[in-house]
């Protein structure tokens, strides 16, 4: 309780600090909400939902609301490295504007190569100006892995031909905080898959500052906006796990919150895609689901306005929020079986772990018997 009280006071002081800066947006967040048909009641409900998602007591929802309204006082520089822009797409490609996309639109976005109108020399000038004008204050978000082989020559950006490696290191120097958005920026992602000819690495491997890793290919808009809100509200990093991911988003296994978990415990598995079990919503472990090995809040937050996520849509989790998932989690449509992955935390029941190996925790004996009752089809 004392910890929450101290954090609440820290949040109040942080918001007072932000109020001394002039607004960067021409219209307020309230006006933007009105233009898009979002009521104040909807905003309060969103604030309460974000508060719960951040694992904070309900009274913090007032701070969340204030932080959202002051989001335009925090300069944000968003860099693109070796990536597909899917993480930005996750946030901005909604069928109708919602509060997550409006909050992102309300932030003082100083540089974002795929959203800004500037190009060429003007774009370079915008980045250089932002790095200098807001030194020590800006939030740096990086999307994509950083190629390091041959001194970073496998990625050059802009008319000056700077390497991505140079740009990230330069931008990191004056950043108040750094966020790696997506598994590519966090851990190298697909670009770092064996044999990794470009030497692609996560941002934390090329800078000498703490980095918040938002694993996921892509991470949900909730995880992106929630992390931005935490920094705006407190001016510091949230509690992180062993891979520097926010615990409020990556503190539980996908398997533990999956809507198909009951099917798993009952030993009801999809044998092949399209079979009777698939139509009845059976567990997807035998066709490759990596939910027991993966930490993320996909089952609870979902994507596209909380509509769905891969397992609900009928395909197993690929483990995309984990380091080296492209190599360690393959084959994506067959179970890992007895393969041992490092860093698995057996926080739930461990019945059957001996049979499957230390990776698959929380498996009931009856589920194990069903799982290996007959061989997998080739």
């Amino acid at each position: 309780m004392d910890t929450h009280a101290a954090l609440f006071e820290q949040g109040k002081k942080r918001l007072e600090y932000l109020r001394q800066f002039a607004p960067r947006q021409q219209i307020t967040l309230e006006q933007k909400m009105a233009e898009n048909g979002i009521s104040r009641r909807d905003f309060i409900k969103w604030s309460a939902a974000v508060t719960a998602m951040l694992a904070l007591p309900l009274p913090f929802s007032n701070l969340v609301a204030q932080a959202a309204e002051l989001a335009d006082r925090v300069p944000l520089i968003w860099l693109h490295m070796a990536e597909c822009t899917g993480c930005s797409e996750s946030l901005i490609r909604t069928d109708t504007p919602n509060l997550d996309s409006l909050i992102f639109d309300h932030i003082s976005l100083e540089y974002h190569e795929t959203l800004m109108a500037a190009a060429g020399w003007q774009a370079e000038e915008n980045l250089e100006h932002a790095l200098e004008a807001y030194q020590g204050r800006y939030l740096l978000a990086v999307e994509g892995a950083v190629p390091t082989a041959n001194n970073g020559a496998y990625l050059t950006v802009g008319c000056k031909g700077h390497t991505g490696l140079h740009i990230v290191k330069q931008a990191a120097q004056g950043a108040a905080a750094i966020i790696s958005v997506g598994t590519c920026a966090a851990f190298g992602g697909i670009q770092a898959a064996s044999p990794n000819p470009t030497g692609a690495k996560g941002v934390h491997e090329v800078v000498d500052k703490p980095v918040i890793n938002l694993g996921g290919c892509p991470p949900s808009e909730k995880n992106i906006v929630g992390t931005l809100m935490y920094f705006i509200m407190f001016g510091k990093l949230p509690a992180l796990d062993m891979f520097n991911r926010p615990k409020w988003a990556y503190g539980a296994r996908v398997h533990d919150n999956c809507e198909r978990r009951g099917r798993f415990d009952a030993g009801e598995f999809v044998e092949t895609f399209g079979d009777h079990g698939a139509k009845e919503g059976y567990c997807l472990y035998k066709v490759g689901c990596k939910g027991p090995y993966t930490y993320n809040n996909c089952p609870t937050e979902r994507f596209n306005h909380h509509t769905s996520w891969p397992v609900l849509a009928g395909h197993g989790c690929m483990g995309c929020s984990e380091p080296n998932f492209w190599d360690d989690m393959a084959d994506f449509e067959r179970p890992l079986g007895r393969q041992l992955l490092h860093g698995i935390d057996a926080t739930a029941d461990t019945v059957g772990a001996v049979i499957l190996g230390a990776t698959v925790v929380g498996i009931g004996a009856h589920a194990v018997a069903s799982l290996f009752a007959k061989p997998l089809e080739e």
Side-chain angles (χ1 to χ4, degrees):
M1 201 66 169
D2 291 339
T3 302
H4 282 144
L7 187 63
F8 191 87
E9 289 301 316
Q10 183 175 350
K12 288 171 58 179
K13 291 179 181 179
R14 164 72 173 172
L15 297 179
E16 284 300 321
Y17 166 76
L18 292 178
R19 286 189 179 93
Q20 68 178 306
F21 298 103
R24 297 278 297 165
Q25 297 285 353
Q26 295 182 347
I27 61 175
T28 66
L29 178 62
E30 187 173 0
Q31 290 172 322
K32 290 183 178 181
M33 290 191 300
E35 290 177 358
N36 289 277
I38 299 174
S39 67
R40 185 70 183 180
R41 180 183 178 84
D42 292 331
F43 179 55
I44 297 302
K45 289 168 62 178
W46 174 88
S47 301
V50 171
T51 302
M53 183 179 67
L54 295 175
L56 295 172
L58 185 58
F60 278 79
S61 61
N62 186 44
L63 291 185
V64 171
Q66 294 179 53
E69 293 170 336
L70 294 172
D72 65 332
R73 319 295 171 94
V74 178
L76 173 63
I77 296 174
W78 189 297
L79 300 178
H80 289 264
M81 296 290 110
E83 42 77 35
C84 67
T85 317
C87 299
S88 291
E89 296 279 353
S90 173
L91 183 57
I92 64 175
R93 291 295 184 186
T94 54
D95 56 352
T96 56
N98 64 2
L99 273 162
D100 291 315
S101 58
L102 284 182
I103 295 300
F104 183 71
D105 182 58
H106 189 60
I107 285 177
S108 179
L109 188 59
E110 301 298 322
Y111 184 86
H112 190 296
E113 289 157 14
T114 58
L115 295 181
M116 64 187 184
W121 290 101
Q122 184 183 5
E124 292 279 357
E125 291 174 3
N126 287 354
L127 177 59
E128 292 170 359
H129 170 75
L131 293 177
E132 181 178 351
Y134 305 110
Q135 185 172 11
R137 285 181 47 210
Y138 62 82
L139 179 60
L140 175 65
V142 182
E143 182 176 353
V146 185
T148 62
N150 197 17
N151 295 319
Y154 289 98
L155 173 66
T156 58
V157 181
C159 51
K160 293 186 178 180
H162 288 313
T163 65
L165 181 62
H166 168 83
I167 295 170
V168 167
K169 287 186 173 182
Q170 180 187 39
Q173 291 177 2
I178 306 171
I179 300 175
S180 288
V181 183
T183 295
C184 295
F187 309 119
I190 297 174
Q191 287 77 265
S194 180
N196 192 9
T198 67
K201 295 182 178 180
V203 174
H204 72 278
E205 297 182 84
V206 302
V207 302
D208 57 1
K209 284 186 171 183
V211 178
I212 306 172
N213 290 326
L214 299 183
C217 190
S220 74
E221 67 271 20
K222 289 290 186 184
N223 290 355
I224 300 172
V225 172
T227 302
L228 294 176
M229 291 300 303
Y230 193 97
F231 176 76
I232 293 170
M233 192 161 41
F234 299 114
K236 67 174 187 177
L237 309 183
L240 305 175
D241 71 4
M242 63 186 295
F243 296 121
N244 273 28
R245 300 174 299 194
K247 286 185 176 180
W248 58 263
Y250 302 89
R253 289 181 305 150
V254 166
H255 182 64
D256 294 333
N257 293 313
C258 178
E259 59 268 4
R260 299 180 188 239
R261 175 63 189 265
R263 299 291 194 176
F264 178 91
D265 292 339
E268 298 173 336
F269 296 93
V270 175
E271 301 291 338
T272 59
F273 289 108
D275 68 7
H276 171 76
K279 296 174 183 177
E280 293 296 322
Y282 285 9
C283 176
L284 296 163
Y285 182 80
K286 292 181 72 171
V287 287
C289 184
K290 305 305 186 293
Y293 315 87
T294 306
Y295 288 78
N296 208 331
N297 56 4
C298 299
T300 54
E301 295 304 327
R302 302 181 181 177
F303 293 83
N304 299 326
H305 294 200
H306 198 72
T307 302
S308 187
W309 68 293
V311 172
L312 182 59
H315 194 282
C317 168
M318 296 174 64
C320 70
S321 57
E322 300 304 308
N324 306 314
F325 87 96
W326 195 256
D327 295 324
D328 291 345
M329 298 296 185
D331 181 327
F332 293 118
E333 295 186 354
R334 292 179 66 87
L336 291 178
R338 293 179 175 83
Q339 179 179 344
L340 178 65
L341 299 180
H342 297 290
I344 298 299
D345 180 15
T347 57
D349 53 301
T350 56
V351 178
V354 175
I355 298 176
L356 280 181
T359 55
V360 185
V361 296
I363 299 178
H366 55 291
V368 174
S370 172
L371 183 60
F372 294 104
K374 54 184 176 180
L376 292 170
E377 296 182 15
E378 295 297 333

